[in-house]
């Protein structure tokens, strides 16, 4: 059995993630008490036709004592030889505040005199041990619903290889991606932004590609990043890592970083490496 635990703070997209898993044929259960996980997997694994792919939503609505026992329960699943992975969704506090304000929904922990902001912070504490054990952390701050659903479907539900690699471009002016494992800074490359004719374009457009390819620094940077990633990916896989996100940033996240990500993806795919590409600022 393959068990995927979907967790994270309220408003981060857990429901969307579970729906995406269900669309891909997973047997899904939302808001399951943590203590019932071993019982659920045991029952679904019995019989003549055991269920092979299960996704379970675990959130802060659980009894706090059960959340604190998560590590012990996860170890019990491993003893049952259940192939388990944890996907944790989160977003920055301001994004969560805006989402709750827009939907006018009450936060699950917003009881008594606790404000929405207090509830969001309290939830972070309650779920800290689950986040720490997560195989994949997705920061949904810059995702809209369809992008998040595609991310879950392509990177989690349909994953073919043991290691899921994502290349992501971003702009430093909008902050580092919280879910990045490796970060490369390409702001030292010549910047097409200063050419008014190139400014509206992106690193996927041919004039930007031509501009950057005429500079040797672009080729050297691409060679170095490509060599590093190809050398160390096997080490990530051998250390039982299921997911790796390589983030490449420039100032605005639209020209140089996009160019390097696209060129790097092309090289890695030619080596037979399966990967996903995401351009954060494009979304």
């Amino acid at each position: 059995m393959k068990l995927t635990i979907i967790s994270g703070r309220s408003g981060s997209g857990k429901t969307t993630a579970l729906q995406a898993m269900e669309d891909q044929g997973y047997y899904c259960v939302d808001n399951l008490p943590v203590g019932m996980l071993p019982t659920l997997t045991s029952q679904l694994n019995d019989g003549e036709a055991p269920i092979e792919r299960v996704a379970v939503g675990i959130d802060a609505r659980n009894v706090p004592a059960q959340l604190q026992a998560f590590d012990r329960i996860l170890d019990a699943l491993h003893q049952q030889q259940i192939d388990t992975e944890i996907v944790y969704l989160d977003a920055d506090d301001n994004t969560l505040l805006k989402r709750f304000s827009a939907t006018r929904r009450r936060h699950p922990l917003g009881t008594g005199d606790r404000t929405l902001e207090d509830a969001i912070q309290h939830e972070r504490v309650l779920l800290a041990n689950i986040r720490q054990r997560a195989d994949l952390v997705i920061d949904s701050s810059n995702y809209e619903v369809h992008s998040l659903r595609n991310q879950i479907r392509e990177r989690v539900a349909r994953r073919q290889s043991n290691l899921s690699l994502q290349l992501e471009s971003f702009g430093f002016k909008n902050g580092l991606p919280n879910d990045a494992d490796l970060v490369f800074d390409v702001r030292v490359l010549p910047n097409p932004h200063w050419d008014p004719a190139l400014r509206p374009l992106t690193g996927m457009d041919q004039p930007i590609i031509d501009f950057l390819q005429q500079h040797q620094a672009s080729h050297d940077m691409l060679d170095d990043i490509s060599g590093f990633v190809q050398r160390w990916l096997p080490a990530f896989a051998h250390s039982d890592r299921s997911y790796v996100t390589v983030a490449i940033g420039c100032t605005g996240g639209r020209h140089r970083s996009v160019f390097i990500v696209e060129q790097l993806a092309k090289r890695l795919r030619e080596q037979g490496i399966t990967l996903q590409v995401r351009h954060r600022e494009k979304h």
Side-chain angles (χ1 to χ4, degrees):
M1 173 187 288
K2 172 64 176 298
L3 172 65
T4 301
I5 297 174
I6 305 291
S7 188
R9 291 197 289 172
S10 303
S12 61
K14 297 189 304 299
T15 300
T16 298
L18 276 173
Q19 290 172 347
M21 300 292 283
E22 189 171 36
D23 289 344
Q24 297 303 311
Y26 278 72
Y27 181 91
C28 295
V29 181
D30 192 14
N31 191 26
L32 184 76
V34 175
M36 293 183 62
L37 273 172
T39 302
L40 175 70
T41 55
S42 178
Q43 291 183 353
L44 296 180
N45 226 7
D46 288 340
E48 297 181 357
I51 297 177
E52 297 182 356
R53 302 195 301 173
V54 180
V56 175
I58 300 292
D59 57 43
R61 289 173 289 181
N62 268 260
V63 177
Q66 291 201 11
L67 290 174
Q68 294 173 5
F70 180 79
D71 290 343
R72 175 176 55 80
I73 293 169
L74 191 63
D75 291 339
L77 292 174
H78 291 159
Q79 291 177 3
Q80 292 181 11
Q81 296 185 333
I82 302 296
D83 182 9
T84 305
E85 70 175 4
I86 304 170
V87 177
Y88 189 93
L89 288 94
D90 206 353
D92 62 71
D93 292 352
N94 287 334
T95 297
L96 295 178
L97 284 167
K98 290 177 181 178
R99 288 175 179 173
F100 273 98
S101 297
T103 60
R104 299 184 180 179
R105 292 178 55 243
R106 183 180 65 84
H107 193 283
L109 302 182
T111 58
D113 296 331
R114 185 179 289 153
T115 65
L116 175 58
E117 188 171 358
D118 290 339
I120 289 172
Q121 294 297 333
H122 183 53
E123 191 173 31
R124 181 199 301 274
V125 175
L126 288 176
L127 299 176
N129 60 331
I130 299 180
R131 191 185 197 283
Q132 187 174 10
R133 295 291 295 266
D135 298 286
L136 173 64
V137 176
I138 297 177
D139 183 351
S140 69
S141 302
N142 296 291
Y143 282 92
E144 41 85 23
V145 173
H146 298 294
S147 296
L148 179 58
R149 184 179 292 116
N150 289 338
Q151 172 85 334
I152 294 295
R153 181 176 63 245
E154 299 299 330
R155 199 168 188 200
V156 181
R158 293 181 180 175
R159 180 156 58 94
Q160 300 294 323
S161 59
N162 292 330
L163 181 68
S164 173
L165 172 64
Q166 176 170 272
L167 305 181
E168 179 176 9
S169 67
F170 72 96
F172 277 96
K173 72 176 185 180
N174 295 320
L176 286 168
N178 293 329
D179 50 2
D181 298 294
L182 298 172
V183 177
F184 295 96
D185 184 349
V186 299
R187 287 176 292 184
V188 296
L189 299 181
N191 192 352
H193 173 83
W194 302 117
D195 185 335
L198 299 178
R199 188 173 302 167
L201 306 178
T202 75
M204 299 176 69
D205 294 315
Q206 194 61 45
I208 299 293
I209 296 172
D210 293 340
F211 172 86
L212 288 169
Q213 284 185 336
Q214 70 180 341
H215 297 280
Q216 184 59 41
S218 301
H219 299 279
D220 293 341
M221 179 71 77
L222 181 59
D223 288 343
D224 289 343
I225 295 177
S226 177
F228 184 93
V229 172
Q230 291 188 64
R231 176 181 178 183
W232 290 105
L233 267 184
F236 279 101
H238 292 156
S239 63
D240 294 327
R241 289 288 297 273
S242 299
Y243 299 91
V244 173
T245 297
V246 177
I248 298 175
C250 60
T251 305
R254 292 180 51 81
H255 297 131
R256 294 165 291 180
S257 60
V258 172
F259 166 81
I260 293 293
V261 162
E262 289 291 331
Q263 297 301 313
L264 178 60
K266 180 180 178 181
R267 288 194 181 189
L268 296 180
R269 284 169 174 152
E270 289 173 349
Q271 298 298 319
I273 297 174
T274 302
L275 57 89
Q276 288 82 39
V277 169
R278 179 170 186 256
H279 299 300
R280 190 184 75 175
E281 313 310 345
K282 180 180 178 182
H283 299 289

